[in-house]
Each structure stands twice: as structure tokens, then as C-alpha cells.
Amino acid sequence: MASQVCMNNLCRASSSSTDWKKGWPLRSGEFANLCDKCGNAYEQLVFCDIFHSKDTGWRECTSCGKPLHCGCIASSSLLELLDSGGVNCISCAKSSGVCTAKTDEKAKGLGITMSKTVGEIQSTSVSGQVNGGNFDKMKLKQCSDSAENNGQKHLLPYQNNDTNGSIGQMKQEEEVSLPVGEIGSTRLSNFNQTSIRSSHTSDIDIYKSSFGAKDVHGSLVQTNLTIALSAPSGNSNAFPVVVFEERELSKAISSIQQGSRSRHLLPKPSKSVLAAGFGANDSMISQIRVARPPVEGRVKNQLLPRYWPRITDQELQQISGDSNSTIVPLFEKVLSASDAGRIGRLVLPKACAEAYFPPISQPEGLPLMIQDVKGKEWVFQFRFWPNNNSRMYVLEGVTPCIQSMQLRAGDTVTFSRMDPEGKLLMGFRKASSTIPMQSLKGSTDPRLNALWKHANSGDLNWPITEKHVGKTGDGLMPLAMLDSERKRSRNIGSKSKRLLIDSQDALELKLSWEEAQDMLRPPPSGKPSTVTIEDHEFEEYEEPPVFGKMSIFTARLSGQQEQWAQCDNCYKWRRLPEDFLLPPRWTCEENVWDQRRCSCSAADELGHWELENLLKMNKDLKKHRTGTSHRSAQELESAGLVNTTTVGDDVREPGATSVATTTKHPRHRPGCSCIVCIQPPSGKGKHKPTCTCNVCMTVKRRFKTLMMRKKKRQSEREAEIAQRSQIIWGPKEEVEVDSISRQGTSQIEIRSASELQPRGQSNSQSQKVSETGKEQLDLNCHPDREDVQTGSTHVSMMSLLQEASRPLDTYLKRNGLTSLIYEQQASSGSLGMPQVTGESEGWLHEDPCLTPAIHEQEREGDEELCGSNKSQNDPS
DNA sequence: ATATTGCATGATCTA
DNA sequence: AGATCATGCAATATT
């Protein structure tokens, strides 16, 4: 073979250099092919063992013997793969007339023709479904030397219904990359060149396999075709496979194929299927994700499917924009907690790092410039750590970028390369943006619903579905999806919790705090009492809030408030009474308020537009609430974000309804900004004493309320006891107060013991608390919860307010605490009484002139109130 | 006190 | 069993 295709090996001048130079000694794992015609480095396009051994390559036309140059392949020469073995250059193909080369201009990027399109192949072999559109940019035509059933040798795995068919995971040696983006490159970038390196005798970088199908006819001739899915942007016929579960796939592949040399064509459902499935909505299809085997892979270490890029064509198009550049998806990674953490280190999969990033020999690595989707260029340090005789690759300094993209653990970063520039691109995908197949079921989008139905009905002839369905008989696709979710969520969380998490759990974990707010509901038992403090009405519940299902509250012009909830079965939105406490799961059958819509079969009350309006309004409100939580509902209203002045009562459109606003403090309801609801779960986030944020103000108000209620309770008790018996005031009280104050107990206990406690009769609860000094303040509970049985209140809130607003000394004097003041002043400084004074004054008057010490006490109190049930009384 | 860095450990995955 | 990788942690640097 006088091949004119250069197989020169190239290597780098040094390990840190990205320059490939001819003639340098080759290091293991580093070489490239260079076309001696055009001088470009190139990769093997298709590697097929029909034609040649794996290590000789595919270099010349079988018919005429002319070399097949990389440039030729990329730009002009279309090839014919001959079933009989070999390849025809385009000239021979044309002259032979065997192939009716349906030359698609888009096929330039591939430069290969086969005698039949994949769809045609499939249609003749198995299901008869045409899939001619699968390779609109990679049109393959396979020439058949013989007219009979040659195409059967090239079944597409996903179209192969034969149970002997397999989804094959090719062995590395058998795989050949066919990166569209690569082919057309005239000059490989540094990184391209990196990727070109290979240590394998196949002379090529390879992909992890795509899907293969075993020859159902047991042909002795085995064909391996692996075609990368790096379709250039603009391909509207993306692969509507939804996030295959890699592991399932791999297992299926390996278990079935196990070394067999099968066809390796990526699964693409037929157009007909797509059309039947969801109206051939290209825009939608193009957004569905498929795990694409990377355009380049590693030789010795396959790239794990979990890192296969799942970028959609639409995203590719967005990335590439109007440029002529080709975006080559490389890999992606789900961010772990440590990746997304503040440490700023993104652990790179070793295989990916070594395959796509420049080689580094020193741990210090290299600075790597990566452009994000906004066009902003980031420079990260690409480096590694020695680790167990191996390397651990990391990108350092990613925090700004991660933050810029607002990524969190569980989100996905994608790495692509723009060819021919070779520029590295970094994209991202929020965890919630993945559309698992599971979510298609019952989706509000009828197209997705349709997709789901078709998937389950078997209409979708995708191999993965078929195989799984075939195995389980129960539509394994959603299971695979679920498992995928599991896998994706696996790495979220601490190391010790690195367990498989059920998708439901994962869903919960992905809930933001704000979202969790929407699920908090008032306790089911008991009615709240309303307290007005400083023109604010507060609803007080005796029980802590409970979790319920998320719903949207609306209000009508009449003031009637409603609640909208989504059925967990049919996902329709139903109207419910405002005060109904939704359980975590709720379905239409439980809609006892509307007999017409107490079944999932009942039509939506809301039209599409209405629903959108409702959701949008809710979203807007949330957004605004998050951003400006301190603003009142009135402000929202005035800002036009909340429409409380809608049309008449009978208006049914959600657009005419509005997200409910109330002057009452909507405690533990959506929008609640109370101390419990607003505080982050961890209780972190310290507030300065002078802070007037919503949290602190709420804390202060709550504290004031608490104090008033304490007093009220004690007054009641006092009155009650006074009626019952004659009490002898003895010295015991002084002793008790003294001991309490010396313990540094706060005002609550002091009041309980001395001021409010019935004299001569100990309140066991208070005493116990006082003695231990560890009373816990539960803001979710009614302050006198333990005394509910004491009866209804007879003390007006206004009087209590006045009471609470009196100066502290007056307050103390009125309650017989004068001696305590002096005692405290005489005792050890800031403990006890000054704290009492400060807190009292602070809370009651919010005196801006509080001493720092007092503020500090306040702050401590704040924190404890905010974050935990720890004792607020222990001064130590 | 806090942040950063480099490495070690061990859970998990894969062959 | 070996490889991978998420994360813990100690040492060091910085504020």
C-alpha cells in the first residue's frame, strides 16, 4: 500500500508544550496522524474492521487505491463504505453507480457516504421505520456490492428489535471517532492536538462506544461504526433520547455484547417515531438531551458515560451562535458539593482531563482559559495532585465562575471545544433543567406527555427502551431515569452521606430554602390568635409549622383568598379553600370542594394562559420576595407586582385573581417572613445589634410579644391563685430571686419567678427552668403553651402593649423588682440585671442608644432565637 | 481567626 | 482488586 496519507507521528516538544512538532521523538501516548497532502493533523474518521485491521487505518480507496486524505475527507471526498470490505472514494463511488449517493451538503462535515442511509438500512432490516433524517449532517450511505440484505449488517441498534441485538459498548480498539467538528478542522488546536494523542495501536483517539447492535443475521462480517454525535449546531433533528442512564446502558451493553464487534451507530429514533410521538416538534426535540459519546476519547481508559456530554443541539446552537465554528461537546460533570463549594476546586474526571486538556507533568499544571456561555473568559489553573500512584486533576479558581453561573452542587458543567479555534468552552446546566423521562409523564406539556406515552407504549423504538422493556417488561426507561437521578444526586452531600438517594429525596434536597417556605403550613390544630404590634398583626400558632404540598395562594377582589394546588397524579391545578392544609401528596380525588373536578379526568379549570399567568405571578412574587423580603406587601402592590385590585368576584381567570396579600403576618405560610421561616436552616448568618433587617425586627417584635404573653399569663395565674387561696409573702421569694439572678438568668425567668410567679407558691415549671437556667425559647410555640388550660385571656393587648412600653424601671418597680435592680448592680456587673435592663429596654423601645454590651446581649439573644433552641439564659 | 493548599482517606465504581 | 474521586484534614498563609 503506497499510502500517501501521512501517518507521521508527532509529539510535543515538551510535556508542557502544546506545540506539536514533526520529528520529535514520540512519547508513549502521544502521536498524531498527519496528512502528507495537506499537512493537517487528523484523526481517523471511521474505523471499520470490515476493511482493515484496527491498526492499519483506512487510507485509500479500495477501488482505485488513491489515498484518502484527511482534508479530502473533510471537505470534498465522500466515501463509500463497501460491505464487501473496503472503501470507495467519491470518484469511484460515482463511477460505480452502485450508490445513489444522496449527497447532502451537510455531509461535508462527515464526508462519508454509505450505500444506504441508516434509516434505510434499518428499514430493510427490522422494523421498517425510516430513519433517513438521522444523519442530516452525517449522511451515511453504504454501498452494497450485492443487492441483497447487505444493509442488514448495519442495523442500528436502537432499531433492532431482535432480542439478540445488543446495545454494544465497543471495546476501545474497535471504536473510531467520527467527530464532525474534527473532520473539518484544518488546524488542530493545542487541545485538539492533545486529544489526538493516543497510546493505542489504533492510531486514533476513540470514543467510548455508542450503541451497537449485534448482527442479527450473524454475519461473519462485522462492522464497527461509531459516529460521534457532535453534530454541528443547527441540527434540528437532535436525538430525542432523554438522558440515558449510563450505568444501565453500560451493563446492558457489556452483558450482551461482550467483545463482539458490532455495529456502533448512535441511537437515533426514526423521524416517523418522532413525528408520531410528539408532532415532530423540532424545537422541542432539539432540547431533549442525549448522552453523547464524546467526540474524542481515550484509548486505554474509556470515558465513563457519566461524563458524556448531554448537550442539546439547541444549546450547541446557542453556544456557537452565528459563528462558523463547530462546537464539539467534550464532557460534562455534575458538580459535587466540594466542586461547588467555596474552596474553588473543581475535580476533573481523570479520563476527561487527560483526554481533552493539555498534558501536564508538573503538579502545578497550567493556566487554562475557558470561555463561558456569556463569552466571558476565565482562567483556571489546571493541575493535578499525586494520588495513589495516580493523578487527581483539578481546576482551581473556579469559584468566581461557579458563582457567576450561580451553580450549586448537583448542577452540571459542560466542557466543549470550539473548532477550529480549539477554544475551550464551559457551559452549565442547572439540575432542575434536566428533563428526565420520568418527568415527562403527566407533564403539563402535552408534547412531553405524548413522548412519555409513546415511550411506554413501545412506539419509541429506541434501543435503550427496547432493551429495558424487554428485560423487565415494565418500561425501564423511567427506571433508568430514576437511577440516573439517583446517580446524579449521589454525589451531593457530605462524603459520609454519599449514598444512593431516592429521587424523591433528591428532589427534596434540591429544594431551596425559599421553595421550602412555600411548603410550610400553619399547624393543622388550633386557630391562631392575632396580636397587633406596631400596626402589624401577627398570627400566633401554638404548634410549629408543618410541611405540606406547595400551592399558590390567590386573592379575589372581594378579598376571598384561594389556594391552587397541583394534583400529583395528573398535574392539573385545582382550586382549594385558602385554609386547607395540603398534605405532601394530594390528588384530584381529594378535591372535595369541587365535585366537578374531583377526578383527574376532569378538565383543567385554568386555561393554559391562565395557568401561565398564575405561575408567572407566583414566580414574580417569589423573586421579589427573595430580593426584597423587607418590603411589605403594600410596597409590592404599589410596585405593581402584586395586583390586589382585581376585577369582580366572578372573575375566574387567574390573571384576574392575584397572589394573596394580607396585612396580617402570614406566619408559616407562603411568603412568611417570620423569624422561623426566614432564617436559613443552618441558623447561620449573624446580624449586627443595630441591624434592622426583617429578621431582627421580627425577632424584636416576637420577643416583645413573648414578653407580653408571659406577663399576661402570669397575671392570669396570679389572679386565679389569688382567688383560690391566701398567699403569705415570705422571704423565700427574695432568696429565690436572688439565686436566680445570680445565676444570670434572663428576664424571662426573673419575671417568672419574682414578678409573675405566685408568691409563696412555686410554679414548678418556671422554677425548674429557672434553676436550670436552660429554658428553651420556641418561637413556634405559644409562650404559655403549657398553660393553655388556664383559660381565655382577659387582658387586652393594648394594655399589654402599654405595659411593655413602659420604661424598665417603672416596669420593674411595678412588679416588685426594685431590690433586684440594686442587687444586680451590686453583683457581678453585666450578668443578670443589666442584661435584663438592656433587653427590656432594647426590646421594648428598640433604643438605638443601647450600649454595645447590651447590643451584644441582644445579638446573642437574636441568634439564639433565630437559630436554635439553645438556652438564651446561660451567660457563660 | 480565617482562608488556602496539598495530601490522605475511604466510598464507590469498574473491569 | 484496582482505579477513581469526593471530601476530610493538617499544615501553611493571609487577614
Side-chain angles (χ1 to χ4, degrees):
Chain A
M1 278 200 221
S3 170
Q4 296 178 38
V5 174
C6 171
M7 296 299 289
N8 290 346
N9 291 331
L10 300 179
C11 71
R12 293 177 182 80
S14 71
S15 60
S16 60
S17 168
T18 53
D19 293 328
W20 290 79
K21 292 184 180 179
K22 191 174 181 179
W24 284 79
L26 182 67
R27 288 200 332 178
S28 174
E30 295 181 353
F31 63 90
N33 299 328
L34 194 71
C35 176
D36 61 358
K37 182 180 178 183
C38 63
N40 288 335
Y42 73 98
E43 291 182 83
Q44 205 69 36
L45 299 183
V46 171
F47 185 80
C48 176
D49 59 4
I50 286 179
F51 312 124
H52 43 67
S53 65
K54 61 189 178 187
D55 58 350
T56 56
W58 175 37
R59 300 160 188 165
E60 64 278 329
C61 172
T62 303
S63 299
C64 66
K66 291 179 181 177
L68 305 171
H69 295 287
C70 66
C72 303
I73 295 172
S75 59
S76 59
S77 295
L78 296 177
L79 310 179
E80 285 181 349
L81 307 185
L82 305 177
D83 279 355
S84 56
V87 56
N88 272 356
C89 67
I90 192 63
S91 300
C92 295
K94 284 177 180 174
S95 61
S96 70
V98 175
C99 296
T100 54
K102 294 180 180 179
T103 309
D104 188 324
E105 291 202 355
K106 292 177 181 177
K108 283 180 182 178
L110 183 69
I112 298 173
T113 61
M114 299 177 73
S115 61
K116 293 180 180 181
T117 65
V118 176
E120 288 165 345
I121 295 168
Q122 190 279 332
S123 66
T124 56
S125 58
V126 181
S127 67
Q129 291 176 339
V130 178
N131 193 19
N134 285 339
F135 293 89
D136 49 354
K137 295 206 174 188
M138 300 185 289
K139 181 152 290 186
L140 302 182
K141 297 185 71 64
Q142 179 166 9
C143 286
S144 302
D145 285 349
S146 57
E148 62 273 6
N149 70 19
N150 282 331
Q152 292 174 349
K153 300 170 186 173
H154 304 277
L155 299 176
L156 283 177
Y158 58 91
Q159 293 160 327
N160 184 356
N161 284 326
D162 194 290
T163 53
N164 290 327
S166 67
I167 303 166
Q169 188 170 25
M170 288 181 71
K171 286 189 174 181
Q172 296 166 2
E173 307 83 36
E174 300 162 358
E175 299 176 89
V176 178
S177 60
L178 187 56
V180 176
E182 302 300 317
I183 300 167
S185 301
T186 55
R187 175 66 59 189
L188 294 178
S189 71
N190 296 339
F191 302 140
N192 290 353
Q193 291 162 353
T194 302
S195 68
I196 290 171
R197 65 197 152 108
S198 167
S199 61
H200 199 272
T201 53
S202 65
D203 295 352
I204 53 172
D205 278 331
I206 57 165
Y207 308 140
K208 174 95 178 186
S209 78
S210 54
F211 315 104
K214 194 173 179 179
D215 190 333
V216 293
H217 297 276
S219 168
L220 295 175
V221 182
Q222 307 241 338
T223 305
N224 281 341
L225 293 175
T226 299
I227 298 175
L229 279 176
S230 58
S233 59
N235 181 2
S236 60
N237 290 317
F239 313 100
V241 184
V242 185
V243 191
F244 290 124
E245 171 40 38
E246 308 92 319
R247 190 169 57 180
E248 290 296 324
L249 174 61
S250 299
K251 284 180 181 174
I253 288 168
S254 59
S255 63
I256 299 172
Q257 188 161 10
Q258 296 221 342
S260 69
R261 296 187 174 186
S262 309
R263 287 89 184 110
H264 291 280
L265 292 173
L266 286 171
K268 296 184 83 174
S270 70
K271 261 190 172 177
S272 59
V273 169
L274 298 180
F278 29 81
N281 186 311
D282 285 354
S283 64
M284 195 273 289
I285 295 169
S286 66
Q287 296 179 52
I288 302 178
R289 300 186 186 289
V290 59
R292 304 161 185 254
V295 294
E296 301 153 359
R298 292 179 34 148
V299 176
K300 290 192 174 178
N301 297 302
Q302 297 181 350
L303 192 60
L304 294 173
R306 89 171 72 142
Y307 303 124
W308 290 3
R310 299 160 187 266
I311 194 167
T312 67
D313 280 10
Q314 193 177 61
E315 289 165 341
L316 280 175
Q317 191 165 15
Q318 286 176 352
I319 295 171
S320 61
D322 297 330
S323 73
N324 293 324
S325 301
T326 301
I327 306 300
V328 183
L330 299 177
F331 67 95
E332 68 177 40
K333 192 200 176 196
V334 178
L335 291 179
S336 69
S338 50
D339 290 335
R342 280 184 291 182
I343 200 165
R345 299 192 293 208
L346 171 59
V347 175
L348 292 169
K350 186 170 175 247
C352 302
E354 293 183 345
Y356 304 123
F357 289 174
I360 49 178
S361 58
Q362 300 300 317
E364 291 72 26
L366 295 168
L368 204 58
M369 189 177 74
I370 304 181
Q371 182 177 309
D372 70 12
V373 288
K374 297 174 185 172
K376 180 165 185 174
E377 292 178 336
W378 304 87
V379 177
F380 307 125
Q381 188 73 16
F382 171 57
R383 59 171 308 176
F384 69 86
W385 304 320
N387 189 281
N388 287 344
N389 296 322
S390 180
R391 288 178 171 188
M392 190 168 174
Y393 290 91
V394 290
L395 275 184
E396 291 185 337
V398 298
T399 298
C401 179
I402 296 290
Q403 288 179 343
S404 162
M405 298 177 185
Q406 296 183 319
L407 297 179
R408 294 183 298 181
D411 296 338
T412 303
V413 289
T414 62
F415 292 90
S416 309
R417 192 183 58 232
M418 184 184 287
D419 283 340
E421 303 94 313
K423 180 183 287 184
L424 282 176
L425 304 174
M426 188 178 180
F428 66 91
R429 189 165 66 247
K430 304 293 281 186
S432 57
S433 68
T434 302
I435 309 173
M437 185 61 118
Q438 195 180 9
S439 69
L440 297 177
K441 181 187 179 185
S443 165
T444 51
D445 190 328
R447 296 167 299 185
L448 297 182
N449 260 324
L451 176 58
W452 166 260
K453 287 171 185 171
H454 279 279
N456 269 353
S457 65
D459 288 352
L460 283 181
N461 245 343
W462 303 340
I464 189 72
T465 309
E466 288 179 74
K467 298 305 165 195
H468 287 165
V469 170
K471 278 182 179 178
T472 68
D474 187 29
L476 223 152
M477 176 71 95
L479 292 180
M481 295 307 110
L482 200 131
D483 198 49
S484 175
E485 283 303 307
R486 269 199 212 111
K487 188 157 192 168
R488 283 177 168 266
S489 61
R490 177 197 60 164
N491 294 328
I492 307 172
S494 70
K495 188 178 181 179
S496 59
K497 297 173 185 171
R498 221 190 302 164
L499 305 169
L500 291 182
I501 303 174
D502 183 76
S503 61
Q504 190 75 22
D505 299 332
L507 178 70
E508 291 176 15
L509 285 176
K510 286 173 186 170
L511 279 177
S512 70
W513 179 241
E514 288 75 21
E515 288 165 334
Q517 294 295 298
D518 289 342
M519 301 174 77
L520 282 173
R521 297 287 181 275
S525 61
K527 289 185 177 180
S529 56
T530 303
V531 184
T532 303
I533 302 173
E534 297 169 358
D535 298 330
H536 294 276
E537 286 190 9
F538 292 85
E539 288 179 357
E540 300 287 352
Y541 290 87
E542 295 179 3
E543 300 294 331
V546 297
F547 272 99
K549 183 179 170 62
M550 191 179 74
S551 60
I552 300 176
F553 288 85
T554 61
R556 296 185 177 280
L557 184 66
S558 62
Q560 180 195 356
Q561 297 194 2
E562 294 168 340
Q563 183 179 188
W564 293 86
Q566 196 175 23
C567 170
D568 280 311
N569 278 346
C570 67
Y571 295 90
K572 293 191 181 87
W573 286 86
R574 304 298 190 196
R575 178 164 40 178
L576 308 173
E578 173 243 358
D579 56 351
F580 175 61
L581 177 70
L582 274 159
R585 179 178 166 79
W586 183 87
T587 59
C588 292
E589 281 67 31
E590 300 165 63
N591 185 11
V592 297
W593 303 273
D594 189 348
Q595 294 302 319
R596 293 171 301 173
R597 298 184 182 84
C598 61
S599 142
C600 291
S601 56
D604 249 326
E605 186 174 359
L606 300 176
H608 181 67
W609 180 87
E610 299 163 347
L611 181 60
E612 275 192 359
N613 207 336
L614 178 70
L615 296 174
K616 183 176 183 301
M617 208 180 302
N618 185 51
K619 188 180 173 185
D620 287 345
L621 182 69
K622 276 188 197 172
K623 198 186 299 178
H624 198 82
R625 192 175 67 206
T626 305
T628 58
S629 58
H630 61 283
R631 289 176 63 179
S632 66
Q634 286 85 349
E635 285 176 295
L636 290 176
E637 187 177 354
S638 65
L641 289 169
V642 176
N643 175 19
T644 54
T645 57
T646 50
V647 290
D649 273 345
D650 246 348
V651 175
R652 304 181 62 142
E653 298 81 8
T657 62
S658 61
V659 179
T661 60
T662 172
T663 55
K664 290 182 181 179
H665 175 52
R667 187 153 187 244
H668 301 149
R669 287 183 182 169
C672 176
S673 58
C674 79
I675 179 59
V676 176
C677 298
I678 202 171
Q679 203 63 356
S682 64
K684 289 182 178 178
K686 297 181 177 179
H687 297 247
K688 293 183 177 180
T690 55
C691 178
T692 57
C693 74
N694 205 21
V695 180
C696 294
M697 295 307 289
T698 307
V699 168
K700 291 172 183 176
R701 280 195 294 268
R702 295 281 299 121
F703 200 89
K704 187 185 290 184
T705 308
L706 199 70
M707 299 304 299
M708 291 188 299
R709 289 180 169 235
K710 280 280 183 183
K711 177 169 172 50
K712 184 179 95 176
R713 182 193 63 186
Q714 295 300 333
S715 300
E716 290 169 3
R717 187 178 298 143
E718 196 171 351
E720 185 181 354
I721 292 171
Q723 285 179 348
R724 285 182 189 172
S725 60
Q726 295 294 324
I727 299 172
I728 303 172
W729 296 82
K732 182 182 177 183
E733 185 216 25
E734 290 294 327
V735 175
E736 188 176 0
V737 171
D738 184 87
S739 66
I740 291 165
S741 63
R742 286 182 192 278
Q743 290 173 27
T745 47
S746 73
Q747 61 190 90
I748 298 175
E749 283 68 44
I750 290 168
R751 289 176 189 171
S752 299
S754 64
E755 155 211 351
L756 303 171
Q757 178 137 339
R759 306 194 173 207
Q761 183 176 5
S762 69
N763 179 318
S764 61
Q765 175 81 14
S766 297
Q767 189 174 22
K768 183 180 178 182
V769 166
S770 300
E771 285 168 0
T772 59
K774 288 185 179 177
E775 181 186 26
Q776 296 184 345
L777 256 183
D778 184 357
L779 289 175
N780 288 313
C781 299
H782 197 289
D784 48 6
R785 177 176 166 176
E786 68 274 22
D787 302 316
V788 174
Q789 70 275 14
T790 55
S792 59
T793 174
H794 299 288
V795 181
S796 77
M797 293 311 298
M798 285 310 296
S799 66
L800 284 171
L801 263 175
Q802 291 167 1
E803 189 75 25
S805 301
R806 288 196 175 92
L808 180 69
D809 53 347
T810 309
Y811 176 80
L812 292 173
K813 281 175 185 174
R814 280 172 54 88
N815 293 285
L817 286 172
T818 313
S819 61
L820 184 61
I821 297 176
Y822 298 133
E823 193 161 342
Q824 283 298 321
Q825 287 172 343
S827 66
S828 57
S830 63
L831 292 183
M833 210 48 227
Q835 175 182 349
V836 170
T837 306
E839 282 190 356
S840 299
E841 296 259 332
W843 292 119
L844 299 182
H845 300 287
E846 296 173 356
D847 186 354
C849 302
L850 290 172
T851 65
I854 292 171
H855 276 302
E856 184 60 23
Q857 294 289 354
E858 256 193 45
R859 194 181 64 80
E860 296 292 334
D862 261 12
E863 287 170 8
E864 291 180 356
L865 283 168
C866 294
S868 70
N869 287 331
K870 287 189 299 183
S871 166
Q872 64 166 4
N873 305 321
D874 187 358
S876 58

